[in-house]
């Protein structure tokens, strides 16, 4: 099993550009989520999904869109990148109510 | 609003020492608590998961305890090794509106010297 796979690992964007961060899991997990990690602030929840076709906002959703058309994939879209979105982004998944989360290796995004 | 604090922020010990990392949370109404390890520039690796009804979990040299009523968890590392050097993160999962969300502390950065 590959677990949770994130691509790309690194990305530099110019302000105003758009891009999609990819996340895929091969564990048939229902729950998937996106976090961002910033120095001194810990990880914060952006968006999450409890199953295909169902998404909801987390703590810091502004500037990001998500969709979940399949169980395996949960892409995160930046519509118009801003320097404040410079961060490390982590995708995580969870099998069921009582289980812990499995994290991907992250995408380091720099917006200039 | 749930807040998670980890003390100390950094810790440096010689190899072989037993050590304790602390995690405190403000709202005791939690579903479970998870400890992670993060190596520089890497993702999060799950170490231990403790359900709210449990008091402790063990994996090898690691032991995590949970005292929900006092809002505390500790991660005990026995016989530390240089390979244990990493940042250790504590994350709490709530109930109700907090059920789908992990609230993280800012971590303890551990350095184990040979």
């Amino acid at each position: 099993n590959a677990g949770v796979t994130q691509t790309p690992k690194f990305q530099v964007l110019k302000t105003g550009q758009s891009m999609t961060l990819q996340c895929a899991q091969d564990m048939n997990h229902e729950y998937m989520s996106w976090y961002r990690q910033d120095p001194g602030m810990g990880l914060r929840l952006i968006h999450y999904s409890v199953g295909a076709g169902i998404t909801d906002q987390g703590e810091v959703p502004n500037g990001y869109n998500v969709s979940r058309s399949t169980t395996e994939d949960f892409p995160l879209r930046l519509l118009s990148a801003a320097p404040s979105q410079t961060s490390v982004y982590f995708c995580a998944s969870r099998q069921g109510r009582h289980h812990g989360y499995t994290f991907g290796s992250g995408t380091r995004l720099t917006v200039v | 609003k749930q807040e998670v604090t980890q003390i100390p922020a950094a810790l440096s010990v010689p190899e072989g020492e037993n050590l304790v990392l602390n995690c405190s949370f403000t709202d005791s109404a939690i579903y479970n608590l998870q400890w992670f390890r993060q190596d520089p520039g890497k993702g999060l690796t799950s170490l231990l998961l403790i359900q709210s009804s449990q008091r402790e979990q063990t994996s090898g040299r690691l032991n995590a305890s949970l005292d929900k009523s006092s809002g505390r968890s500790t991660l005990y590392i026995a016989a530390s090794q240089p390979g244990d050097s990493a940042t250790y993160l504590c994350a709490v999962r709530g109930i109700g509106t907090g059920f789908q969300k992990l609230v993280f502390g800012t971590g303890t950065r551990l350095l184990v010297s040979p």
Side-chain angles (χ1 to χ4, degrees):
Chain A
N1 282 349
V4 179
T5 302
Q6 291 185 238
T7 57
K9 293 190 182 304
F10 301 94
Q11 183 71 49
V12 178
L13 285 180
K14 294 182 178 179
T15 298
Q17 286 185 320
S18 62
M19 79 159 295
T20 299
L21 280 63
Q22 301 291 344
C23 175
Q25 52 90 10
D26 61 357
M27 301 172 284
N28 202 31
H29 286 181
E30 291 183 62
Y31 304 90
M32 297 186 73
S33 50
W34 279 100
Y35 288 81
R36 59 178 289 174
Q37 184 176 36
D38 301 293
M41 301 191 70
L43 282 85
R44 293 176 293 167
L45 180 64
I46 305 171
H47 285 286
Y48 66 92
S49 169
V50 299
I54 306 170
T55 64
D56 207 343
Q57 295 182 352
E59 186 182 358
V60 287
N62 293 340
Y64 308 95
N65 278 356
V66 292
S67 60
R68 183 110 178 259
S69 57
T70 67
T71 300
E72 295 78 19
D73 299 300
F74 190 42
L76 179 71
R77 298 183 188 84
L78 283 69
L79 301 178
S80 179
S84 60
Q85 293 178 304
T86 294
S87 187
V88 181
Y89 291 85
F90 289 101
C91 180
S93 69
R94 174 171 58 87
Q95 181 175 5
R97 294 175 62 88
H98 303 298
H99 292 79
Y101 284 79
T102 300
F103 278 75
S105 59
T107 294
R108 186 174 296 273
L109 175 69
T110 301
V111 183
V112 298
Chain B
K1 179 184 174 184
Q2 178 75 271
E3 293 182 359
V4 178
T5 303
Q6 292 187 246
I7 295 173
L11 182 63
S12 182
V13 300
E15 181 177 6
E17 274 204 8
N18 303 324
L19 56 99
V20 174
L21 307 181
N22 296 294
C23 171
S24 62
F25 45 95
T26 55
D27 185 352
S28 62
I30 67 169
Y31 193 79
N32 56 35
L33 182 147
Q34 197 166 357
W35 281 94
F36 295 91
R37 167 190 173 134
Q38 185 175 27
D39 293 285
K42 304 294 185 182
L44 280 68
T45 300
S46 180
L47 298 174
L48 289 164
L49 173 70
I50 310 179
Q51 304 296 341
S52 61
S53 59
Q54 297 175 323
R55 296 285 292 182
E56 65 178 324
Q57 283 287 335
T58 297
S59 176
R61 295 183 293 109
L62 304 180
N63 175 279
S65 69
L66 175 64
D67 184 343
K68 197 173 66 167
S69 61
S70 67
R72 293 181 183 179
S73 176
T74 61
L75 179 66
Y76 175 82
I77 302 177
S80 58
Q81 303 171 357
D84 294 330
S85 298
T87 296
Y88 291 80
L89 297 168
C90 166
V92 169
R93 186 166 151 217
I95 60 175
T97 56
F99 188 68
Q100 303 297 351
K101 172 183 174 180
L102 286 177
V103 179
F104 282 84
T106 51
T108 293
R109 189 169 64 254
L110 174 66
L111 177 63
V112 182
S113 304

